[in-house]
């Protein structure tokens, strides 16, 4: 018979404290009411059947391998790869407390693995109801100071599917990001959609993987929210108002941050109606609050939320308005805000470019004109195969009585142009 020598201290809801470790023949699971727990029983190499005996002496037999079998609030998974049996008990009730036995039998012998569930005497926190807003970000937080592995899972039908765990080097998968501190660990969900709504559980797991327990159950709800976008320049004042629904909580506030669940409070209607450049004023008849920001700066760029402070510790703060503000240093004709130094730099670059292009154009024109003159001169020289000139006789002396005559001559190039420096012509005079 195989005995389990395990140390199991399971904290199934936030607020439970570690109990002193106990060792013995059986494994002990100390848990809170209405929680969830999973333990693992290792089985020998050879066996014919596997079953679990509950505290009420009810036997639950496994009939399948490598798939979850749901037996009411108890689920079994016969893992042939790791050669163990995973047992999950959901929504624990008083009747679930006591001894459990994993039985592995064959024809000539059997092996037992015993687990004992005990009631945590201290009262534990109930489930947490959180509201997230579409396309925004939200963070689920669990408090824990132990050194066990931490994990987050989400219910999918009758089973819980793991999302992220600290025992893995992967702390983000795009949509989900796991963050761990000395006193807590949290799961952030980016760009929230309706698909993210559901039941989440945060929990711990032993390093040897013999048991897992949920610390907290989180019911996540996804809603739409009113969005507003504003673009301003440095030094301007901004005034806008947020309308809240009937039955909204008394203490309204404004906070800044991409994630409303962990945003930084700035000003509220109950405590600080004015803080620095931020002020808030409530109109009960119109059911809205007016927010004023004086002399905005570039540091004011970001996302702001109008919400109300929840008086129920098991519920998140409700929000009813989202503002995305952008603050710039200058403005162009298109209405987009630019830095003044950037504008000057762009203008200088454009001027230099225009001057360079003008200089290039002038040089091209001069070169083109010079080339054209050269071509004309060459063409004139090549076309002079025969030259026809009109030569006039010298004028007669006065009183000679003779009129001036025109003499025409035809000049022929020499037939043998052997000399490049001198040219001789035969001239025939025609009366």
């Amino acid at each position: 018979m195989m005995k389990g020598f395990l140390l199991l201290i399971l904290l199934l809801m936030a607020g439970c404290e570690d109990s002193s470790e106990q060792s013995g023949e059986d494994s002990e699971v100390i848990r809170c009411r209405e929680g969830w727990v999973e333990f693992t029983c290792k089985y020998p190499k050879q066996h014919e059947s596997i079953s679990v005996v509950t505290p009420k002496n009810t036997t639950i037999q496994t009939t399948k391998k490598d798939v979850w079998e749901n037996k009411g609030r108890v689920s079994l998974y016969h893992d042939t790869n790791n050669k163990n049996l995973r047992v999950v008990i959901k929504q624990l009730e008083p009747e679930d407390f006591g001894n459990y036995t994993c039985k592995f039998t064959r024809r000539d012998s059997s092996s037992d693995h015993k687990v004992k569930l005990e009631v945590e005497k201290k009262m534990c926190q109930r489930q947490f109801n959180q509201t997230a807003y579409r396309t925004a970000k939200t963070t689920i937080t669990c408090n824990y100071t132990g050194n066990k592995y931490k994990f987050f899972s989400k219910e999918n039908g009758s089973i819980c599917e793991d999302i992220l765990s600290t025992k893995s080097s992967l702390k983000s998968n795009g949509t989900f990001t796991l963050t761990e501190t000395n006193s807590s660990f949290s799961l952030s969900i980016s760009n929230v959609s309706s698909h993210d709504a559901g039941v989440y559980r945060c929990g711990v797991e032993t390093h040897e993987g013999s048991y897992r327990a949920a610390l907290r159950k989180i019911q996540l709800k996804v809603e739409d929210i009113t969005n507003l976008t504003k673009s301003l320049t440095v030094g301007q004042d901004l005034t806008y108002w947020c309308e809240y629904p009937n039955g909204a909580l008394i203490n309204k506030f404004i906070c800044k941050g991409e994630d409303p669940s962990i945003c930084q409070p700035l000003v509220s209607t109950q405590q600080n109606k004015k803080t620095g450049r931020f002020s808030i004023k409530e109109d009960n008849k119109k059911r809205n609050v007016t927010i004023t920001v004086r002399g905005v700066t570039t540091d004011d760029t970001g996302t702001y939320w109008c919400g109300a402070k929840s008086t129920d510790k098991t519920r998140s703060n409700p929000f009813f308005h989202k503002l995305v503000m952008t603050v710039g240093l200058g403005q162009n004709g298109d209405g987009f805000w630019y830095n003044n130094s950037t504008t000057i730099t762009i203008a200088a670059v454009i001027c230099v470019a225009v001057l360079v292009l003008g200089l290039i154009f002038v040089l091209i024109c001069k070169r083109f004109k010079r080339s054209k003159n050269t071509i004309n001169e060459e063409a004139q020289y090549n076309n002079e195969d025969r030259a026809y000139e009109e030569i006039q006789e010298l004028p007669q002396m006065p009183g000679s009585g003779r009129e001036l005559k025109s003499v025409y001559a035809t000049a022929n190039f020499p037939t043998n142009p052997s000399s490049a420096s001198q040219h001789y012509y035969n001239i025939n005079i025609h009366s």
Side-chain angles (χ1 to χ4, degrees), residues 69-283:
E69 297 181 78
N70 298 315
K71 311 288 185 176
R73 291 182 295 104
V74 179
S75 297
L76 305 177
Y77 188 91
H78 182 184
D79 189 345
T80 57
N81 291 328
N82 297 311
K83 298 188 182 304
N84 59 38
L85 176 68
R86 296 171 59 186
V87 182
V88 176
I89 307 172
K90 297 169 291 185
Q91 300 176 358
L92 289 169
E93 297 178 356
E95 63 184 31
D96 298 319
F97 309 145
N99 296 320
Y100 287 80
T101 303
C102 298
K103 299 183 71 68
F104 309 100
T105 60
R106 58 183 180 179
R107 293 181 181 179
D108 54 348
S109 64
S110 64
S111 300
D112 294 346
H113 183 113
K114 294 183 178 181
V115 176
K116 184 177 182 181
L117 270 65
E118 293 186 347
V119 180
E120 173 62 36
K121 296 180 180 179
K122 295 183 179 180
M123 184 63 65
C124 297
Q125 186 179 0
R126 293 173 296 176
Q127 77 174 43
F128 190 74
N129 300 293
Q130 184 162 324
T131 301
Y133 300 93
R134 212 177 308 275
T135 71
K137 186 179 180 180
T138 194
T139 299
I140 301 170
T141 302
C142 285
N143 299 321
Y144 183 73
T145 56
N147 59 358
K148 297 180 178 65
Y149 289 131
K150 292 89 174 176
F151 69 88
F152 276 92
S153 62
K154 183 183 180 183
E155 287 189 4
N156 183 8
S158 59
I159 63 173
C160 285
E161 295 181 346
D162 285 352
I163 299 175
L164 290 171
S165 172
T166 58
K167 69 179 180 181
S168 171
S169 59
L170 180 65
K171 297 300 184 293
S172 178
N173 59 9
T175 302
F176 300 97
T177 301
L178 179 62
T179 304
E180 184 181 9
T181 65
N182 292 331
S183 60
S184 65
F185 61 105
S186 60
L187 181 72
S188 297
I189 309 174
S190 61
N191 194 21
V192 173
S193 65
S194 301
H195 178 72
D196 298 316
V199 175
Y200 292 79
R201 293 186 185 272
C202 57
V204 294
E205 177 180 347
T206 57
H207 287 191
E208 68 274 11
S210 58
Y211 78 90
R212 310 176 78 202
L215 293 176
R216 191 180 220 182
K217 177 182 177 182
I218 302 98
Q219 179 72 54
L220 186 66
K221 182 180 180 181
V222 178
E223 294 182 352
D224 291 319
I225 193 169
T226 303
N227 289 273
L228 178 66
T229 302
K230 287 286 186 180
S231 296
L232 300 96
T233 188
V234 170
Q236 285 186 324
D237 296 338
L238 171 65
T239 299
Y240 70 101
W241 54 270
C242 305
E243 183 179 0
Y244 55 81
N246 284 324
L249 300 170
I250 296 175
N251 190 7
K252 317 297 188 305
F253 68 94
I254 303 299
C255 68
K256 181 182 179 181
E258 296 294 329
D259 187 346
S261 60
I262 55 174
C263 60
Q264 178 185 3
L266 298 175
V267 62
S268 70
T269 57
Q270 295 296 308
Q271 297 177 350
N272 46 358
K273 296 183 179 180
K274 183 177 181 181
T275 302
R277 296 176 294 108
F278 289 82
S279 61
I280 185 171
K281 183 179 180 181
E282 183 177 6
D283 189 332

Side-chain angles (χ1 to χ4, degrees), residues 381-389 409-413 425 428:
Y381 177 80
N382 294 331
N383 290 334
E384 290 181 348
D385 295 331
R386 295 175 62 88
Y388 184 77
E389 297 179 3
T410 300
N412 295 325
F413 290 104
Y425 301 91
N428 296 319

